[in-house]
Amino acid sequence: MKKIITTSIICLSLFPAAFGASIPWWEQPTVCKLDPTDCYATMGAGYDSELWDSGTGCWGMKMICPEALLTDEYVPVAMGREEISKGTNINKDFDTNVLNGDCFGVRKTTGNGAMASVNGEYVRVWCNGILDNVDEYLENGEITYGAQPTCDKLSEYGYVATVNGKCYGKYYDPSKYYIECSGSDITPSRIIVLNGADYTNSSSNAPADESAASKIFDSMESISEAQRKVYFTNN
């Protein structure tokens, strides 16, 4: 029993001498430490600098907005660089390089923000107040995930599917313009300036065919010629 105790005391007395009695154990070179390297050069809004990114071995994670994720989330989720680069659980319609308040992830747009990516395809961003079924509000207007409005539907309210600044939906006053739609096209075939005419009512004495129209013009020409001879005899 005395021999076992003596051996233990010797081992305890040798331990500090072997590693340096003045250096705390947690600072010894043999102790494993986490790399102090930061994952990102600057980390402000949208980052959590206190989280360890084990995938790439550095400090700091991006906070990804819940709407940019494929899973149902209600708050931003911290993701490592490797996860983000692989697109793990990220909606491809969103750009996770763009800060959106306190997290990263905004819907991809083109055409100065007038077109937005939905299910991998770009759809029109409609000016506010045009859509009956709004699925999402963006900076420049609103979008629908389903079927886009038709030319006929838009023309009921005086709108056509052309760019109006940074969104779609240009207004034409129905009392001044007639929007003519053709088939299933979303854009009108032509826009007619009414000049005060009522396109809903046809004239009762309108010519029935080209021959009748020619007779009317011939009559108008004869009358004009006769009047010219009476009032412009010197010419």
Side-chain angles (χ1 to χ4, degrees):
M1 187 69 179
K2 288 182 180 181
K3 290 182 179 179
I4 295 174
I5 294 173
T6 304
T7 305
S8 300
I9 293 173
I10 292 171
C11 290
L12 288 172
S13 63
L14 291 175
F15 184 85
F19 290 91
S22 61
I23 302 176
W25 67 267
W26 58 88
E27 294 183 4
Q28 299 291 338
T30 55
V31 176
C32 296
K33 303 175 185 177
L34 295 178
D35 190 336
T37 304
D38 289 336
C39 296
Y40 303 94
T42 57
M43 286 184 280
Y47 295 93
D48 191 327
S49 60
E50 301 300 319
L51 292 178
W52 172 252
D53 184 353
S54 59
T56 49
C58 54
W59 286 101
M61 283 189 174
K62 266 187 177 182
M63 303 301 295
I64 306 301
C65 298
E67 56 268 28
L69 299 173
L70 296 175
T71 52
D72 293 330
E73 306 289 346
Y74 300 97
V75 295
V77 175
M79 294 185 70
R81 292 192 299 178
E82 190 173 337
E83 286 181 286
I84 295 173
S85 64
K86 290 180 179 179
T88 305
N89 193 34
I90 294 177
N91 189 329
K92 300 302 182 183
D93 292 323
F94 285 78
D95 187 347
T96 55
N97 292 314
V98 181
L99 184 65
N100 183 13
D102 60 351
C103 56
F104 283 88
V106 297
R107 189 173 288 276
K108 295 176 182 177
T109 60
T110 188
N112 204 22
M115 301 284 288
S117 180
V118 176
N119 297 325
E121 297 182 357
Y122 281 93
V123 301
R124 289 173 174 84
V125 175
W126 299 96
C127 299
N128 293 321
I130 292 179
L131 290 179
D132 291 331
N133 53 331
V134 180
D135 289 312
E136 186 177 333
Y137 294 94
L138 303 180
E139 182 179 359
N140 295 341
E142 50 200 35
I143 60 174
T144 177
Y145 303 152
Q148 299 298 304
T150 62
C151 175
D152 287 328
K153 187 66 176 178
L154 291 168
S155 64
E156 289 181 15
Y157 304 99
Y159 289 101
V160 296
T162 56
V163 177
N164 181 17
K166 295 183 178 180
C167 56
Y168 277 82
K170 193 170 183 179
Y171 179 73
Y172 287 84
D173 188 341
S175 67
K176 299 178 181 179
Y177 302 92
Y178 173 60
I179 303 169
E180 184 176 272
C181 299
S182 176
S184 59
D185 292 342
I186 194 171
T187 54
S189 54
R190 53 181 183 169
I191 299 173
I192 303 170
V193 181
L194 298 177
N195 288 330
D198 185 358
Y199 67 89
T200 61
N201 295 320
S202 61
S203 175
S204 59
N205 62 346
D209 52 30
E210 186 177 349
S211 177
S214 296
K215 289 181 180 179
I216 292 173
F217 280 111
D218 289 342
S219 175
M220 292 171 61
E221 185 179 12
S222 298
I223 293 171
S224 296
E225 180 65 20
Q227 293 286 37
R228 189 185 69 80
K229 289 180 179 179
V230 172
Y231 295 103
F232 299 95
T233 56
N234 294 328
N235 294 335

